[in-house]
Amino acid sequence: MTPIEVGAISVGAIVLLIYLGVYIPIALTAVSFVSIWLMRDNFTLAMNLLKITIGESAMEYPFATIPLFSFMGLVVSKAGLGTDIYAVMSSGFRRVKGGIGMATVGANAAFAAVTGSSIASASVFAKVAVPEMQKYDYNPRFAVGVVAGSSVLGMIIPPSAMLIIYSFVAEQSVGEMFIAGVIPGLMLTVAYIGAIWLMGRFTPGFVGGRPADDYEPMPWREVASRTLPMLLLIVTVIGGIYLGWMTPVEAGAAGAALGLIIAAVRRTMSWRNLWETLIETGHITAAILFLITAASIYSRMLGLAGLPRELEAILAASDFSFVLIMVFYVILMLFLGTILDTSSIILIVVPLFLPLIEPMGLSLVWFGIITVIGAEIGLLTPPLGISCFVIKATLDDPRITLKDVFMGALPFAGVMLLVLALLIALPSLSLALL
């Protein structure tokens, strides 16, 4: 069996197991373990590689970023900073056509900079922003679409769990991945706001809404009290990494401690809530560690099969251009996004394409940004648009169907695709801050 056949069959087997309901890391590990066993006809070798992989994954120092940033995000969410930043944004944009939608995007971007979770963003803003937009007669599809579309900012604006997972799979610096995600995240935010303005101007029926007659500007003192804690966290974490004052692990620890202080000052964190937050952090950390371990054994299996050398040989013998490879890669990501979640796509596809990207002299940091954005489009597309399902479950409103959520998110998926094309054409945008 050729290396290409091994790679194709392994991917098919993994996707099939996931569709049958097998937990993603178990599917990856099982296929990799059995493949090594069959290729070398050596059960002991397969067991030893699995032991080594588990030990190396758990002992890597950068892995400490995961529990620290997860804890910070959970504490910030419980402290109500998402609701606060939304109130400030909403006050500023309220008189603009589609302004509450723009406020939702801006608030989601700020919230993403301290939580790094699309699911948390979707859950928080589905409860806060959708009822507010319904109050001012916005189209329900537009309302849920804005929340779904802007929730994906949590996976590209640092600190992002997906950027951390990619950094482990591709063996890149977590700090560099975070810094590289800043400009693309801001670009996507601005593109969303611009798209809402255009929709309000040219398709007002889709946006809906009416002027906020009861509008009263928020006092500057209240604006400061609601935004300063969030700004302090962002400056501490991202600024500390960018200026070189802290490693990502140290920035995560500082952010977690600062988030805990903010929650304590606001009296939103009881001892019971703290214990629940610690338990939830443990669950998230264990799940991601399992994912990283599975991806590592999968990469080793592909290396043992000789797939990297085979792909390099194919690339050298063929006339595949950069554009052709990237078009194929994006199409594959969009297809997989309809059936798999973001982490699964990263874990399965990245080890297959790294041997193609590295010989071309392309930046693996840039490739990570492209990968995460491409995979994130899948959060908005049926049948497995996770953000859309979270919003529907959170709202529990029979008047808003799952179809409404998907249809509302569709324009924002298109905006993401345009931004992705721009980042592919101009890699310097992702690497400007490095």
Side-chain angles (χ1 to χ4, degrees), residues 105-331:
V105 173
N108 245 318
F111 192 63
V114 291
T115 60
S117 171
S118 293
I119 305 305
S121 296
S123 178
V124 168
F125 289 98
K127 294 175 184 175
V128 175
V130 173
E132 184 74 3
M133 282 189 268
Q134 287 180 320
K135 176 182 173 183
Y136 289 99
D137 299 330
Y138 278 79
N139 185 334
R141 282 192 177 182
F142 172 78
V144 292
V146 168
V147 174
S150 57
S151 70
V152 302
L153 295 171
M155 288 304 182
I156 188 63
I157 294 178
S160 158
M162 291 304 111
L163 291 178
I164 294 175
I165 289 176
Y166 174 85
S167 70
F168 278 92
V169 175
E171 298 181 354
Q172 297 299 300
S173 163
V174 175
E176 288 188 359
M177 290 305 306
F178 281 179
I179 298 303
V182 172
I183 290 179
L186 293 175
M187 284 175 59
L188 198 53
T189 303
V190 172
Y192 277 163
I193 292 174
I196 291 172
W197 183 84
L198 290 173
M199 284 187 277
R201 184 175 179 84
F202 297 106
T203 58
F206 175 71
V207 176
R210 60 178 171 81
D213 298 327
D214 57 347
Y215 169 75
E216 291 184 11
M218 184 178 290
W220 283 107
R221 185 168 182 172
E222 186 178 353
V223 170
S225 68
R226 287 175 179 265
T227 57
L228 284 179
M230 182 80 80
L231 289 174
L232 185 59
L233 273 169
I234 294 172
V235 169
T236 299
V237 174
I238 306 302
I241 295 173
Y242 181 70
L243 294 173
W245 294 346
M246 293 182 283
T247 65
V249 174
E250 293 166 345
L258 187 56
L260 198 56
I261 291 170
I262 292 170
V265 169
R266 292 185 161 207
R267 298 183 179 180
T268 57
M269 181 66 70
S270 65
W271 287 109
R272 180 180 179 82
N273 286 339
L274 177 60
W275 176 249
E276 290 174 351
T277 302
L278 290 171
I279 294 296
E280 192 171 350
T281 301
H283 289 164
I284 294 170
T285 303
I288 294 179
L289 175 59
F290 204 178
L291 284 170
I292 291 172
T293 301
S296 182
I297 188 68
Y298 178 58
S299 298
R300 289 170 188 263
M301 182 274 290
L302 293 177
L304 204 61
L307 184 63
R309 291 191 301 273
E310 184 77 10
L311 290 175
E312 286 177 20
I314 290 173
L315 185 63
S318 64
D319 194 25
F320 293 151
S321 66
F322 164 75
V323 174
L324 186 62
I325 290 175
M326 292 313 299
V327 167
F328 175 74
Y329 186 63
V330 171
I331 291 173

Side-chain angles (χ1 to χ4, degrees), residues 67-104:
L68 291 169
F69 281 118
S70 297
F71 180 75
M72 181 182 74
L74 292 170
V75 168
V76 165
S77 182
K78 291 182 184 295
L81 293 190
T83 304
D84 282 352
I85 201 70
Y86 172 75
V88 173
M89 291 285 185
S90 180
S91 175
F93 284 98
R94 190 170 290 269
R95 290 200 170 182
V96 181
K97 180 68 174 178
I100 301 182
M102 297 177 185
T104 302

